[in-house]
Amino acid sequence: MVTTELIWKLLDQVADPEIPVLTIADLGIVRTVEIIDNKCIVTITPTYSGCPAMHQIEEEILKALSPTITTEVKSTLSPAWTTDWMSEKGKEKLREYGIAPPENEVDKSVLFAKPTVVPCPKCNSKNTRMVSQFGSTACKAHYQCNQCLEPFDYFKCLR
Amino acid sequence: MTVKEALYTYVVRIADDSLILGQRLAEWCGHGPILEEDIALTNISLDLIGQATNLFQYAVTLEDKGRTEDQLAFLRVDREYSNLLLVEQPNKDFGYTIARQFYFDAFRKLFFEALTNSEDTQLAAIAEKSLKETKYHLKHSSEWIIRLGDGTEESHQRIQEAVNFHWRFTHELFFQNEVDKTLIELGIGLDLATLFDDWKNYVSNVLQQATLELPSHSFKLEGGRTGMHSEHLGYLLAEMQYMQRAFPNLTW
């Protein structure tokens, strides 16, 4: 008998294609897992509307679960994904990988607000600067450490 | 007009604005004035095209004629696109691109905020998702308006020119016809007139911080919503549709 607990365990093996140290469960994009009549329905939500990884994530889920149970992947937009759903374990893994995890950010409606203090994932210095609000993927901003000079990605806060 | 037909038209309008502006911004890929802006403009483009995908996917279910979202995006003729004239305007230079984006983002943020209360749950869900991204876009374009306006003499003069030029297309942001009327009554669509004051206040406020003048000319152009476009759209579509026209049903 396949349980949802087992499915969650299997899903915890599915890596995000863009940031392979994170699983899709760490990211919080798996919203629900249901088993109805020996069929598993996994509902996921995109991080950003245009995230090109969504199709691949769907395929990876099917690959991970299909040997165990017939699976269907559904997508939902509401409630909209937020970085608040990222697990603490996920944030720690991001930092070790060299990407600064999301910080509690100021209201985006304030123009030229002092950028959020994002500690450097290499040397942990808080003396860093934002280079660009937009980075290598939709979910990241670009920062540089003024202390050790390391340029790094910051997984920006989305609320 | 049935409610379903009205809703289809409504959804395609929002989708077309996102798609065409997304395509325009994508033209900056590899041509940004600095690397960070190259990345920023194409990131925003990606968000917009993602929004368009969600909206077109919804539109084809409303239409129920077996079309796919790609067919709506790539296989219509210019008169069938209902995007605003504003979003099809050429990039010209960074200042023109930012001015166009600023007017649009300021509108879109208010629009999506209000649309999250729509009685149509799918439309509300798309609005909720898109709103989070739009907040980033608006911050980006607003800060550039201020930087350029309050920058050098040259940047001030050029962004003022771009702000003045695009002003004529902003009237159309608030275009409404029987489609809107049908949906407003059902609590699905919004009365755009209710957004106007907030939009104008926001725009005035940022322009003032940027030491720029709010344009005062009353010359206005509209037509995009009803399929009457400027010649610029034809060239944009020719490029955007090329692959699907030359190699029908091509997929990645």
Side-chain angles (χ1 to χ4, degrees):
Chain A
M1 169 82 184
V2 180
T3 61
T4 51
E5 285 78 27
L6 173 70
I7 301 292
W8 278 105
K9 233 179 227 167
L10 291 171
L11 286 173
D12 208 25
Q13 314 288 318
V14 179
D16 176 77
E18 286 281 356
I19 309 169
V21 288
L22 289 188
T23 70
I24 54 174
D26 289 330
L27 270 169
I29 61 179
V30 180
R31 300 315 302 152
T32 56
V33 173
E34 294 165 285
I35 296 176
I36 300 167
D37 297 334
N38 288 323
K39 191 177 155 199
C40 176
I41 299 165
V42 179
T43 305
I44 57 174
T45 191
T47 52
Y48 282 75
S49 298
C51 181
M54 286 310 283
H55 291 291
Q56 207 183 328
I57 289 173
E58 199 178 318
E59 280 170 29
E60 298 288 329
I61 291 175
L62 292 176
K63 232 192 318 186
L65 301 187
S66 295
T68 314
I69 188 170
T70 315
T71 304
E72 184 188 347
V73 180
K74 283 189 182 169
S75 178
T76 181
L77 291 172
S78 180
W81 183 80
T82 157
T83 40
D84 295 343
W85 294 346
M86 191 185 285
S87 69
E88 288 306 315
K89 184 182 74 168
K91 287 182 189 170
E92 204 37 59
K93 282 198 271 184
L94 264 185
R95 199 177 340 232
E96 281 167 27
Y97 187 59
I99 297 174
E103 296 286 334
N104 211 349
E105 259 179 55
V106 290
D107 184 359
K108 277 183 279 294
S109 65
V110 183
L111 301 180
F112 293 111
K114 252 179 119 187
T116 317
V117 176
V118 177
C120 170
K122 284 271 177 214
C123 74
N124 214 23
S125 164
K126 287 186 174 165
N127 182 12
T128 63
R129 67 182 182 99
M130 185 174 77
V131 179
S132 166
Q133 245 176 79
F134 296 87
S136 55
T137 63
C139 53
K140 287 178 245 148
H142 192 206
Y143 271 69
Q144 184 170 24
C145 178
N146 293 327
Q147 201 67 41
C148 72
L149 301 181
E150 178 80 2
F152 63 91
D153 273 333
Y154 162 56
F155 201 116
K156 61 193 179 195
C157 173
L158 189 72
R159 279 186 182 147
Chain B
M1 184 188 321
T2 66
V3 173
K4 227 173 185 183
E5 284 163 352
L7 185 54
Y8 169 81
T9 308
Y10 198 76
V11 172
V12 169
R13 278 181 191 170
I14 313 169
D16 281 345
D17 285 347
S18 292
L19 177 70
I20 301 302
L21 188 57
Q23 173 71 15
R24 271 285 179 243
L25 291 176
E27 290 171 15
W28 275 105
C29 188
H31 301 275
I34 49 172
L35 184 59
E36 287 75 15
E37 278 313 301
D38 202 290
I39 294 169
L41 295 172
T42 46
N43 259 254
I44 296 168
S45 165
L46 184 64
D47 285 341
L48 289 168
I49 292 171
Q51 293 167 10
T53 310
N54 290 333
L55 289 157
F56 282 134
Q57 278 170 350
Y58 184 38
V60 293
T61 65
L62 293 166
E63 187 189 44
D64 203 17
K65 286 185 189 160
R67 285 208 277 187
T68 67
E69 67 265 27
D70 283 338
Q71 286 171 321
L72 274 192
F74 296 117
L75 296 178
R76 284 177 296 155
V77 297
D78 55 351
R79 289 290 295 270
E80 294 171 306
Y81 283 80
S82 54
N83 59 278
L84 299 162
L85 294 181
L86 176 69
V87 299
E88 71 197 38
Q89 296 308 307
N91 289 337
K92 200 163 172 191
D93 61 25
F94 186 66
Y96 271 74
T97 297
I98 289 297
R100 182 185 66 200
Q101 194 68 32
F102 170 62
Y103 286 143
F104 182 76
D105 291 342
F107 171 79
R108 262 298 172 90
K109 179 180 165 269
L110 295 168
F111 178 71
F112 282 142
E113 255 167 13
L115 201 61
T116 53
N117 297 319
S118 171
E119 290 292 331
D120 186 89
T121 49
Q122 184 59 11
L123 203 51
I126 295 172
E128 186 193 343
K129 181 82 210 153
S130 309
L131 176 62
K132 293 185 178 184
E133 297 155 1
T134 306
K135 285 181 186 169
Y136 267 107
H137 304 172
L138 179 60
K139 182 174 165 67
H140 173 259
S141 55
S142 300
E143 289 182 352
W144 270 111
I145 289 282
I146 295 171
R147 246 182 237 120
L148 294 170
D150 197 17
T152 65
E153 207 178 303
E154 168 92 6
S155 71
H156 176 89
Q157 175 248 317
R158 288 176 67 174
I159 193 68
Q160 181 72 64
E161 190 190 302
V163 161
N164 291 349
F165 174 79
H166 286 115
W167 183 251
R168 71 199 64 189
F169 303 112
T170 56
H171 179 73
E172 197 182 18
L173 288 166
F174 303 93
F175 172 91
Q176 303 198 94
N177 64 5
E178 68 280 5
V179 170
D180 302 77
K181 212 173 146 236
T182 307
L183 299 178
I184 290 167
E185 278 167 16
L186 298 167
I188 296 173
L190 313 172
D191 183 356
L192 297 181
T194 61
L195 305 181
F196 181 76
D197 286 346
D198 285 345
W199 177 83
K200 198 166 176 193
N201 284 341
Y202 182 85
V203 166
S204 311
N205 192 355
V206 172
L207 289 179
Q208 195 186 7
Q209 283 183 62
T211 74
L212 294 167
E213 297 279 336
L214 182 76
S216 55
H217 66 80
S218 57
F219 175 51
K220 50 196 174 206
L221 282 173
E222 60 177 35
R225 283 283 184 252
T226 50
M228 304 292 283
H229 293 279
S230 63
E231 69 169 321
H232 304 299
L233 184 68
Y235 291 99
L236 180 147
L237 293 181
E239 183 167 313
M240 187 178 81
Q241 298 187 342
Y242 172 78
M243 292 297 270
Q244 277 303 321
R245 299 285 186 192
F247 304 99
N249 304 320
L250 176 86
T251 55
W252 287 108

